[in-house]
C-alpha cells in the first residue's frame, strides 16, 4: 500500500503549542498532579508522553512517573492480520492501582487501540481514574471511546491516513495527512 | 513495526536465519516481562486450540508449553500417548487427521521417531506444528531458550566459545543447540567419550576435543548434557562412575573455562554423573533461568506462528 | 512376424551402424540389416528410436506367495514389462520362503499365466531362509531356479556359505549374496556418516557392507565357485570387487538405480521422508561417484533394481518406523539414463545398455545366457526406447501395487515405448495412452 502525502497539518511549533496546552488541561482537570501517572502507548505515544512530562515538570516543577504500554497482545484483530506486528516492551515505574492514569497516544481513530489499552491496563492493576490524551482526533469512532485532551481535531475520510512523525523515529516532528494510492 | 514471519511450523532450526533468531529472542524478552505481572495472561491466542501430543514422558517441556499456551489464553488439551508408536493403537497419520477434525490450531509433539514432527506437519493442512523433540534429531524450542538465556546475559553472542560435554550422538538438544549457536556466530567444541560422538562432526560444523579440560578452556558457556543409563547398558562406556571421573563437571573442570563463563544444562540433571552439585547450584549455573526462559520463548513462538495466518 | 524398420539397433554389446531393420519370426530374431522386406509381417516404423534386447532384472521382490497386498507375480511382471524388462528374477523372501521345487514351479507358472515379463525364480540358499541348513538346491535348479540367495539378509554363517558354494558348484546356478555384517548394521536406518551425524538417526557403517563383500570374495577365491554380490552401495565395496576381478576371482556384482542417482542428502532434505529409506542405505556423494566409476571401468556387471514394493499404510510412517525398500521397475532405466545424461555421458551408451542386457544375462545359468542378445536366432525379447521423451514419474499410475517411491515427481528422460517377450507385445505406451 503506497501513501501519497497530501498536506502538513501541524508543524513542529504547532505540536509543541498543542502539547503545552494539553499539559495545562491535565493539571486543571486533575486539580494538580497528585497520583497522576502518564502511560504512553507504543510506539509514538511513548515519545509524546515524555514530552508532556517535560512540560509538566516545567510548569508544576513535578516529575510525573511515566510508563510504556504495548497493546499488541490485546488487539481484537490479530487473526485478521497477514503480517505479524512485533511486540514491544511494557514497563510501569510503579504499581498503577489507585493511580490517575493519563493514556497518551498519537492518533485516535476507531477507538479499538484504546479499548485494547484499557484491557491491558486492567491486567496490570486497578487505576482509580483513566483519562485519554491524543495529539490528533481524526473521527470515525467504532466504539464508545472519547478522548479527554485533544491536540487537534481533523476531519478525515477513510481513504486518508494521519501520520504523526517524531524525531526519535522519523527524524522530524510534524503531522501530515496522506492518501492511499491505488 | 511490521515484518513477515514465514514459519508456520517450528520443526527444526535448519533454515532459520540469524535475523529470525534475533527477532524471536527480542519477542521472548517482551513475553518474559509478562511473567512478572500480577495477572500473567494476555488474550492474544484466545479461542485457539492447542494440543500437546506427547508420546514420550516429559514433565518439564510439556508443562512449560502448557504455561506458555495458557498465558496467551489459548485452550489447551493434553494428549499423552504412553507406550510406543510402533503399531500400538492409532497411527500417527490417523492421529493427525483426528486432530484436524477436532479443529486444533496448533499441535506440540514430542515423539521418539526422528522426523515425526515433519511427518505430522505434512499431514496437517491448517494447524501449526511445534516440535517438542523428535528422537535424536531436533529440540528447537530448547535450543532457542538456551540461546535466549545466553543472549540475556551476554547481549552479544558473536565470537563466543561454547563447549558441549556429554552424549552428543544421541542428543537432539546438542544438534539443535549447535545449529542455533553457530548461526549466532559462536564457535563450538564437543567433548565426551568418542563412543558417544557422531562420526562426522565436521558435517555439524564443530570440532571434537577428547580432553574436557582442554575443550572447556576459554569457553563462555559450558553446556552439559544428560547421560542416560541406557547408554551405559548398551556398553558405550563402562560405568557412570568412570564417566563422572573423566567428564563430570565439577568445580575443577569449570575452573578451566573463562571466569565469567555460564554453566547450562537442559535438565533434569543427574547429580554426580554429568554435573556436581557445587556447580549445578553455583553462581555460574543458569539452569533455573533456562526453565523460565522456556516459557517466554515458547510464548514468543506460539504468538509469531499462530497469530494472523488466516486472512 | 514383425518387421521393425529404421531402428538404432543395440545387440547387447554394441550398436549397429546407422539405422537398420529387424525381422522377428516365431518368437525369435530372424534377420538384422538395412532395407529388409517381408510380406505379411506387421510393420513397425521405429523412426530412429533405439531397439534393444529386453532388459533383465536380477533382483526383484514380488512378495508372492504370502504378501500379495504389497505386490504379486502378476503385477510385478506387468510393472517390469512397463519398465522395459522382459525378464525379472523374483526374490525368495516370501511367506513361505521359496526354498523348494514346488514353489519354484509355482512362480514360473504364475509368471507364464500373467503373460507379461518372463518371471524367473530365485530360490533360497537355506531352508526357510533361516541361515542354518541347506535348502534343496539340486531340486530347485532342476525345476528352473536361476539364482540362489537369502537376500533380505546375508547367508547365515561363513560356514554355511562355503558349504553352499561347494555343494552347488555343478548345478550351474549362481549364489547371490546380500553383503551385510548384521552386528554392525543392526538398528540402523541411514548411512553412517553425514546423514547419521546430522539427523541423529542410527547409521549403518560402510564397513558392514565391506566386510560382507570381503567374506564373499574370500570364499569365492578359495572354492573357485562363482559368486554374485548384489546392490553394492559404497566405494570400498566396488574397490574390493575390482581388485578381486584383476586377480581372476570369479566374482560379479550389481548396483541399483537408486544408489546411482540418490545420495544420503535426500533423507534430510526431504524432511525425513520414508520413501528414501532403503537397505543398503543411500550413501555419500563420494560413494555415488565411485559407483559410476565402477560402471565405467567394467567392475559392475549389471544394474538390478532391488524393486521393493510396500503397501501405502506400511511405508507411510515416520522414517525410523518405516520398512526399507524403494520400488522402481517402471522407471529404473529412465532414472539411470537421465543421470547418465546429467553426468555428461561419462561412457558410451553401449556400456550403459549392456548393464541392463548382456551384463545381467551373463549371471544367469547357461540355459538363459542368450537372453540379453539381439542376434539372429536369439529370443525376440525386445524393447523400443524413445530417448527424447521426458516424463514425470507418477506412482499412482503404476502397474505395480506400490504407491510410494523415491522416484515420485521426478522428471526423467529415456522411456521404453514398446516391449515384446518372444515376439509377443507385453507393453505399449501408445496402448496405455489410448485407454
Amino acid at each position: 500500500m503506497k501513501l501519497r502525502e497530501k498536506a502538513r497539518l501541524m508543524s513542529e511549533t504547532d505540536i509543541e503549542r498543542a502539547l503545552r496546552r494539553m499539559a495545562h488541561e491535565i493539571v486543571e482537570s486533575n486539580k494538580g498532579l497528585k497520583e497522576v501517572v502518564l502511560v504512553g502507548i507504543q510506539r509514538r505515544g511513548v515519545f509524546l508522553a515524555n514530552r508532556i512530562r517535560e512540560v509538566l515538570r516545567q510548569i508544576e516543577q513535578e516529575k510525573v512517573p511515566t510508563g510504556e504500554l504495548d497493546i499488541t497482545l490485546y488487539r481484537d484483530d490479530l487473526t485478521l492480520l497477514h503480517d505479524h506486528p512485533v511486540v514491544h516492551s511494557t514497563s510501569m515505574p510503579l504499581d498503577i492501582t489507585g493511580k490517575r492514569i493519563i493514556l497518551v497516544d498519537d492518533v485516535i481513530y476507531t477507538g479499538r487501540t484504546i479499548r485494547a489499552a484499557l484491557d491491558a491496563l486492567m491486567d496490570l492493576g486497578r487505576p482509580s481514574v483513566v483519562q485519554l490524551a491524543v495529539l490528533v482526533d481524526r473521527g470515525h469512532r467504532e466504539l464508545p471511546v472519547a478522548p479527554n485532551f485533544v491536540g487537534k481535531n481533523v476531519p478525515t475520510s477513510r481513504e486518508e491516513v494521519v501520520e504523526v512523525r517524531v524525531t526519535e523515529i522519523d527524524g522530524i516532528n510534524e503531522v501530515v495527512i496522506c492518501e492511499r494510492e491505488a | 513495526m511490521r515484518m513477515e514471519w514465514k514459519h508456520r511450523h517450528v520443526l527444526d532450526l535448519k533454515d532459520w536465519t540469524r535475523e529470525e533468531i534475533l527477532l524471536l529472542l527480542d519477542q521472548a524478552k517482551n513475553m518474559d516481562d509478562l511473567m512478572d505481572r500480577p495477572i500473567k495472561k494476555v488474550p492474544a491466542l484466545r479461542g485457539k486450540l492447542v494440543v500437546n501430543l506427547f508420546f514420550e514422558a516429559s514433565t518439564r517441556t510439556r508443562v512449560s508449553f502448557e504455561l506458555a499456551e495458557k498465558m496467551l489464553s489459548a485452550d489447551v488439551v493434553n494428549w499423552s500417548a504412553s507406550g510406543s508408536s510402533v503399531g500400538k493403537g492409532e497411527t500417527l497419520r490417523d492421529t493427525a487427521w483426528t486432530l484436524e477434525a477436532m479443529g486444533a490450531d496448533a499441535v506440540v509433539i514430542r515423539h521418539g521417531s526422528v522426523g515425526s514432527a515433519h511427518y505430522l506437519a505434512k499431514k496437517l493442512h491448517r494447524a501449526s506444528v511445534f516440535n517438542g523433540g523428535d528422537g535424536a534429531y531436533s529440540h528447537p524450542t530448547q535450543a532457542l531458550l538456551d540461546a535466549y538465556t545466553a543472549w540475556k546475559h551476554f547481549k552479544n553472542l558473536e565470537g563466543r566459545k561454547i563447549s558441549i560435554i556429554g552424549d552428543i550422538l544421541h542428543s537432539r538438544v546438542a544438534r539443535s543447540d549447535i545449529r542455533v549457536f553457530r548461526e549466532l556466530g559462536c564457535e563450538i567444541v564437543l567433548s565426551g567419550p568418542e563412543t558417544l560422538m557422531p562420526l562426522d562432526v565436521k558435517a555439524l560444523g564443530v570440532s571434537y576435543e577428547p580432553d574436557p579440560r582442554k575443550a572447556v578452556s576459554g569457553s563462555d558457556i559450558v553446556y552439559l548434557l544428560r547421560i542416560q543409563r541406557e547408554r551405559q547398558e548398551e556398553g558405550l562406556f563402562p560405568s557412570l562412575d568412570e564417566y563422572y571421573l573423566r567428564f563430570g563437571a565439577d568445580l575443577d573442570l569449570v575452573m578451566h573455562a573463562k571466569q565469567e563463563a555460564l554453566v547450562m544444562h537442559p535438565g533434569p540433571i543427574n547429580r554426580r554423573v554429568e554435573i556436581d552439585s557445587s556447580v549445578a547450584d553455583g553462581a555460574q549455573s543458569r539452569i533455573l533461568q533456562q526453565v523460565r526462559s522456556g516459557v517466554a520463548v515458547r510464548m514468543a513462538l506460539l504468538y509469531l506462528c499462530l497469530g494472523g495466518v488466516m486472512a | 512376424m514383425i518387421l521393425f524398420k529404421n531402428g538404432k539397433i543395440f545387440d547387447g554389446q554394441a550398436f549397429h551402424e546407422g539405422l537398420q531393420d529387424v525381422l522377428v519370426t516365431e518368437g525369435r530374431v530372424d534377420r538384422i540389416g538395412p532395407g529388409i522386406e517381408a510380406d505379411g509381417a506387421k510393420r513397425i516404423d521405429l523412426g530412429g528410436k533405439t531397439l534393444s534386447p529386453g532388459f533383465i532384472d536380477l533382483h526383484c521382490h514380488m512378495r508372492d506367495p504370502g504378501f500379495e497386498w504389497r505386490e504379486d507375480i502378476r503385477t510385478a511382471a506387468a510393472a517390469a514389462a512397463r519398465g522395459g524388462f522382459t525378464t525379472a528374477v523374483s526374490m525368495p523372501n516370501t511367506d513361505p520362503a521359496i526354498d523348494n521345487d514346488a514353489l519354484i514351479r509355482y512362480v514360473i507358472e504364475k509368471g507364464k499365466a500373467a503373460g507379461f515379463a518372463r518371471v524367473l525364480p530365485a530360490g533360497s540358499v537355506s531352508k526357510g531362509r533361516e541361515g542354518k541348513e541347506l535348502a534343496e538346491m539340486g531340486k530347485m535348479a532342476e525345476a528352473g531356479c536361476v539364482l540362489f540367495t537369502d537376500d533380505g539378509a546375508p547367508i547365515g554363517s561363513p560356514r554355511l556359505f562355503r558349504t553352499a558354494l561347494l555343494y552347488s558348484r555343478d548345478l550351474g546356478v549362481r549364489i547371490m549374496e546380500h553383503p551385510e555384517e548384521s552386528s554392525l548394521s543392526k538398528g540402523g536406518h541411514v548411512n553412517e556418516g553425514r546423514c547419521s551425524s546430522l539427523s541423529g538417526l542410527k547409521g549403518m557403517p560402510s564397513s558392514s557392507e565391506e566386510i560382507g563383500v570381503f567374506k564373499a570374495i574370500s570364499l569365492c577365491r578359495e572354492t573357485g565357485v562363482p559368486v554374485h554380490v548384489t546392490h553394492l552401495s559404497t566405494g570400498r565395496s566396488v574397490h574390493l570387487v575390482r581388485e578381486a576381478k584383476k586377480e581372476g576371482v570369479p566374482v560379479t556384482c550389481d548396483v541399483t538405480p537408486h544408489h546411482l542417482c540418490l545420495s544420503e542428502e535426500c533423507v534430510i532434505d526431504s524432511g525425513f521422508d520414508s520413501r528414501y529409506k532403503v537397505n543398503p542405505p543411500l550413501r555419500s556423494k563420494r560413494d555415488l561417484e565411485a559407483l559410476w566409476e565402477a560402471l565405467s571401468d567394467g567392475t559392475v556387471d549389471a544394474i538390478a533394481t532391488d524393486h521393493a514394493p510396500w503397501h501405502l499404510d506400511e511405508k507411510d510412517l515416520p522414517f525410523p518406523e518405516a520398512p526399507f525398500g524403494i520400488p522402481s521397475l517402471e522407471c529404473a532405466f529412465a532414472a539411470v539414463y537421465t543421470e547418465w545424461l546429467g553426468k555428461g555421458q561419462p561412457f558410451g551408451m553401449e556400456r550403459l545398455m549392456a548393464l541392463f542386457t548382456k551384463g545381467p544375462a551373463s549371471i544367469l545359468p547357461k540355459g538363459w545366457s542368450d537372453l540379453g542378445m539381439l542376434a539372429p536366432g536369439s529370443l525376440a525379447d525386445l524393447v523400443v526406447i524413445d530417448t527424447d521423451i521426458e516424463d514425470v514419474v507418477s506412482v499412482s499410475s503404476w502397474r505395480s501395487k506400490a504407491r510410494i517411491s523415491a522416484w515420485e515427481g521426478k522428471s526423467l528422460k529415456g522411456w521404453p515405448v514398446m516391449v515384446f517377450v518372444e515376439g509377443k507385445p507385453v507393453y505399449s505406451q501408445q496402448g496405455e495412452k489410448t485407454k
Side-chain angles (χ1 to χ4, degrees):
Chain A
M1 180 202 47
K2 284 199 78 185
L3 292 174
R4 187 181 66 84
E5 216 173 285
K6 266 172 77 171
R8 194 169 76 167
L9 297 174
M10 294 174 84
S11 68
E12 179 161 21
T13 321
D14 294 330
I15 295 174
E16 258 172 68
R17 286 185 182 139
L19 291 176
R20 189 161 283 272
R21 172 185 42 81
M22 287 161 70
H24 280 280
E25 286 176 358
I26 289 169
V27 174
E28 185 184 18
S29 168
N30 290 281
K31 302 189 182 10
L33 291 174
K34 194 154 179 283
E35 307 292 4
V36 167
V37 177
L38 290 166
V39 175
I41 296 178
Q42 292 281 13
R43 287 176 75 196
R44 288 172 173 76
V46 171
F47 301 108
L48 294 175
N50 289 338
R51 309 239 177 116
I52 293 177
R53 182 184 61 179
E54 189 45 40
V55 175
L56 290 173
R57 194 185 60 76
Q58 286 169 20
I59 62 181
E60 292 287 310
Q61 283 82 50
E62 246 185 84
K63 272 181 154 165
V64 176
T66 308
E68 323 178 325
L69 185 69
D70 183 88
I71 57 97
T72 314
L73 296 170
Y74 288 85
R75 292 175 67 138
D76 63 3
D77 60 348
L78 276 179
T79 42
L80 301 173
L81 294 173
H82 180 65
D83 296 337
H84 305 264
V86 167
V87 175
H88 295 287
S89 69
T90 293
S91 74
M92 293 297 146
L94 35 61
D95 183 3
I96 63 170
T97 299
K99 300 291 179 205
R100 305 180 70 88
I101 304 293
I102 317 285
L103 276 177
V104 182
D105 207 1
D106 54 345
V107 178
I108 182 171
Y109 180 30
T110 61
R112 291 178 189 275
T113 299
I114 303 306
R115 181 218 57 83
L118 286 171
D119 274 358
L121 273 184
M122 294 313 155
D123 277 355
L124 289 170
R126 194 177 188 280
S128 61
V129 166
V130 179
Q131 294 173 310
L132 174 63
V134 296
L135 185 61
V136 175
D137 182 345
R138 62 169 288 198
H140 299 288
R141 213 76 76 232
E142 291 173 6
L143 298 175
V145 175
N148 305 84
F149 314 103
V150 181
K152 190 181 174 75
N153 281 295
V154 179
T156 62
S157 75
R158 289 189 191 280
E159 285 70 47
E160 291 168 327
V161 175
V162 173
E163 264 189 28
V164 170
R165 294 177 182 160
V166 294
T167 33
E168 295 89 335
I169 300 175
D170 314 289
I172 187 173
N173 292 311
E174 63 180 4
V175 180
V176 299
I177 186 162
C178 306
E179 198 169 48
R180 287 174 217 273
E181 244 167 41
Chain B
M1 198 221 305
R2 276 162 192 270
M3 67 94 64
E4 280 282 352
W5 179 258
K6 62 174 169 64
H7 296 285
R8 177 180 139 205
H9 305 295
V10 179
L11 304 175
D12 60 28
L13 299 171
K14 191 162 73 93
D15 301 315
W16 281 49
T17 63
R18 195 155 173 274
E19 290 67 41
E20 287 170 328
I21 297 171
L22 289 172
L23 173 70
L24 186 282
L25 298 181
D26 173 73
Q27 295 296 277
K29 175 89 194 33
N30 293 321
M31 299 296 182
D32 202 343
D33 294 337
L34 280 178
M35 290 198 266
D36 293 321
R37 293 203 199 166
I39 296 184
K40 304 178 211 318
K41 217 174 188 46
V42 289
L45 292 186
R46 212 164 66 96
K48 299 278 191 193
L49 174 61
V50 182
V51 178
N52 295 320
L53 188 62
F54 277 64
F55 289 90
E56 277 182 347
S58 150
T59 314
R60 322 156 75 79
T61 304
R62 211 206 74 226
V63 167
S64 180
F65 263 109
E66 201 178 327
L67 280 173
E69 292 150 12
K70 286 180 170 162
M71 281 173 71
L72 291 170
S73 300
D75 293 322
V76 178
V77 168
N78 288 312
W79 184 321
S80 307
S82 56
S84 85
S85 48
V86 184
K88 270 201 206 157
E90 210 179 29
T91 64
L92 189 53
R93 195 175 63 180
D94 285 325
T95 303
W97 291 338
T98 306
L99 292 172
E100 190 119 75
M102 274 167 34
D105 296 288
V107 181
V108 179
I109 176 172
R110 170 175 281 195
H111 193 287
S113 292
V114 169
S116 49
H118 294 72
Y119 181 86
L120 187 66
K122 282 183 193 150
K123 299 297 180 205
L124 293 172
H125 300 113
R126 205 178 56 89
S128 292
V129 176
F130 296 87
N131 187 359
D134 64 328
Y137 176 56
S138 185
H139 196 352
T141 61
Q142 176 72 46
L144 288 168
L145 75 88
D146 289 337
Y148 175 69
T149 307
W151 176 79
K152 244 174 103 168
H153 182 87
F154 287 119
K155 303 287 183 287
N156 181 19
L157 293 170
E158 183 82 43
R160 296 209 179 261
K161 183 176 161 204
I162 303 177
S163 44
I164 306 181
I165 306 177
D167 180 0
I168 315 293
L169 181 61
H170 301 97
S171 173
R172 54 187 170 220
V173 172
R175 286 187 174 83
S176 290
D177 274 54
I178 286 172
R179 281 224 171 84
V180 84
F181 282 111
R182 279 201 70 228
E183 189 62 34
L184 291 172
C186 301
E187 181 208 321
I188 302 177
V189 179
L190 306 178
S191 191
E194 201 176 320
T195 47
L196 296 178
M197 291 294 137
L199 187 71
D200 190 353
V201 294
K202 277 219 198 70
L204 293 165
V206 301
S207 59
Y208 169 62
E209 167 54 62
D211 182 346
R213 276 152 186 77
K214 287 207 191 111
V216 148
S217 160
S219 291
D220 296 283
I221 298 176
V222 177
Y223 197 105
L224 303 161
L225 295 173
R226 202 177 132 67
I227 287 296
Q228 291 169 287
R229 210 160 288 271
E230 303 89 78
R231 305 305 164 210
Q232 187 261 316
E233 282 156 17
E234 275 169 41
L236 293 172
F237 58 91
S239 69
L240 295 177
D241 207 57
E242 179 159 316
Y243 181 86
Y244 178 67
L245 198 71
R246 294 183 63 201
F247 302 101
D250 52 14
L251 287 173
D252 176 66
L253 174 74
V254 173
M255 225 168 46
H256 287 73
K258 281 201 184 140
Q259 211 180 20
E260 330 80 41
L262 301 180
V263 173
M264 292 171 65
H265 188 300
I269 59 180
N270 275 329
R271 294 174 186 267
R272 277 216 98 233
V273 177
E274 67 264 4
I275 190 170
D276 184 59
S277 291
S278 58
V279 174
D281 308 327
Q284 289 169 284
S285 164
R286 284 291 176 277
I287 297 175
L288 292 175
Q289 285 83 339
Q290 283 171 274
V291 173
R292 181 186 160 119
S293 297
V295 180
V297 163
R298 286 166 178 131
M299 283 179 74
L301 285 170
L302 285 163
Y303 169 69
L304 287 169
C305 298
L306 285 181
V309 175
M310 292 196 28
Chain C
M1 257 203 317
I2 313 179
L3 178 59
F4 295 95
K5 305 272 313 162
N6 305 316
K8 255 183 74 185
I9 314 297
F10 176 71
D11 71 5
Q13 268 182 294
F15 279 95
H16 284 243
E17 273 292 319
L19 296 182
Q20 305 220 8
D21 306 337
V22 173
L23 179 65
V24 167
T25 321
E26 286 172 15
R28 287 196 179 263
V29 173
D30 190 303
R31 246 182 297 151
I32 307 173
I36 301 177
E37 286 304 331
D39 293 321
K42 175 173 172 167
R43 287 171 76 90
I44 299 181
D45 190 343
L46 299 175
K49 293 201 254 297
T50 304
L51 181 68
S52 159
F55 306 144
I56 298 163
D57 185 8
L58 293 175
H59 191 141
C60 180
H61 293 275
M62 301 192 183
R63 312 292 194 206
D64 183 354
F67 302 113
E68 291 87 348
W69 63 88
R70 296 174 187 157
E71 191 83 286
D72 60 51
I73 289 172
R74 183 168 212 280
T75 53
R82 194 158 176 271
F85 293 90
T86 48
T87 301
V89 178
S90 66
M91 291 290 107
N93 60 334
T94 49
D95 182 20
I98 298 177
D99 66 357
N100 61 72
D101 54 329
L103 284 172
I104 295 286
R105 274 188 282 274
Y106 164 82
V107 174
I108 294 174
E109 288 314 313
K110 200 157 177 195
K112 282 201 179 121
F116 296 103
R118 178 183 303 106
V119 179
L120 296 178
S124 62
V125 171
S126 58
K127 280 205 178 98
R129 268 182 78 245
E130 282 172 15
K132 299 212 183 79
E133 293 173 56
L134 285 184
E136 292 180 310
M137 297 167 100
K139 283 186 184 172
M140 286 196 280
E142 185 88 11
C145 116
V146 299
L147 283 172
F148 294 118
T149 180
D150 276 352
D151 181 73
I155 296 173
S157 67
R159 185 167 198 279
L160 183 66
F161 197 164
R162 192 170 188 278
T163 308
L165 284 171
L166 294 174
Y167 184 80
S168 68
R169 188 200 300 271
D170 295 328
L171 298 177
V173 175
R174 218 172 289 233
I175 290 182
M176 170 195 273
E177 168 74 336
H178 163 119
E180 184 178 346
E181 174 45 53
S182 311
S183 70
L184 286 175
S185 62
K186 200 168 75 148
H189 304 287
V190 292
N191 182 39
E192 170 86 347
R194 248 184 84 86
C195 189
S196 62
S197 300
L198 286 168
S199 68
L201 286 164
K202 192 158 198 286
M204 298 194 268
S206 190
S207 53
S208 163
E209 185 176 289
E210 190 180 338
I211 289 172
V213 174
F214 186 91
K215 173 175 60 175
I217 291 175
S218 192
L219 293 172
C220 177
R221 183 190 291 110
E222 192 168 74
T223 59
V225 178
V227 169
H228 181 86
V229 277
T230 186
H231 51 52
L232 297 189
S233 66
T234 70
R236 286 299 311 164
S237 296
V238 293
H239 172 78
L240 287 176
V241 172
R242 183 182 291 120
E243 296 304 303
K245 279 186 169 181
K246 281 189 194 152
E247 268 183 71
V249 176
V251 64
T252 54
C253 70
D254 68 68
V255 300
T256 68
H258 41 272
H259 289 107
L260 287 172
C261 303
L262 307 168
S263 76
E264 62 183 341
E265 308 298 326
C266 294
V267 174
I268 300 189
D269 289 347
S270 68
F272 306 104
D273 197 312
S274 64
R275 67 184 61 175
Y276 294 108
K277 184 169 181 180
V278 64
N279 184 19
L282 299 178
R283 300 278 190 189
S284 69
K285 290 201 167 127
R286 260 179 67 183
D287 285 314
L288 199 156
E289 295 309 320
L291 293 185
W292 279 89
E293 272 166 39
L295 291 189
S296 219
D297 67 15
T299 302
V300 174
D301 301 89
I303 289 176
T305 65
D306 194 6
H307 173 82
W310 291 91
H311 188 280
L312 182 68
D313 292 343
E314 291 172 316
K315 186 77 171 167
D316 183 12
L317 292 171
F319 201 95
E321 298 168 43
F324 296 98
I326 295 180
S328 67
L329 276 173
E330 290 163 77
C331 63
F333 177 80
V336 181
Y337 180 77
T338 304
E339 188 71 16
W340 174 79
L341 282 180
K343 283 182 153 25
Q345 306 186 23
F347 43 78
M349 191 164 167
E350 62 285 338
R351 173 100 204 94
L352 182 72
M353 305 289 305
L355 288 162
F356 283 90
T357 54
K358 189 152 206 298
S362 66
I363 311 298
L364 297 174
K366 281 214 168 43
W368 293 106
S369 49
D370 81 332
L371 283 184
M373 260 174 32
L374 208 178
S378 62
L379 284 172
D381 286 356
L382 303 165
V383 57
V384 177
I385 305 165
D386 189 334
T387 52
D388 291 324
I389 322 178
E390 185 151 5
D391 208 1
V392 174
V393 176
S394 167
V395 179
S396 56
S397 69
W398 276 5
R399 288 183 177 181
S400 160
K401 290 182 185 174
R403 286 293 166 266
I404 299 188
S405 173
W407 302 105
E408 174 72 41
K410 303 226 192 291
S411 186
L412 303 174
K413 242 184 161 184
W415 293 93
V417 292
M418 276 188 270
V419 183
F420 301 82
V421 172
E422 293 185 51
K424 204 188 83 186
V426 292
Y427 171 69
S428 151
Q429 198 196 56
Q430 204 60 6
E432 201 169 75
K433 285 202 161 96
T434 57
K435 246 192 244 146

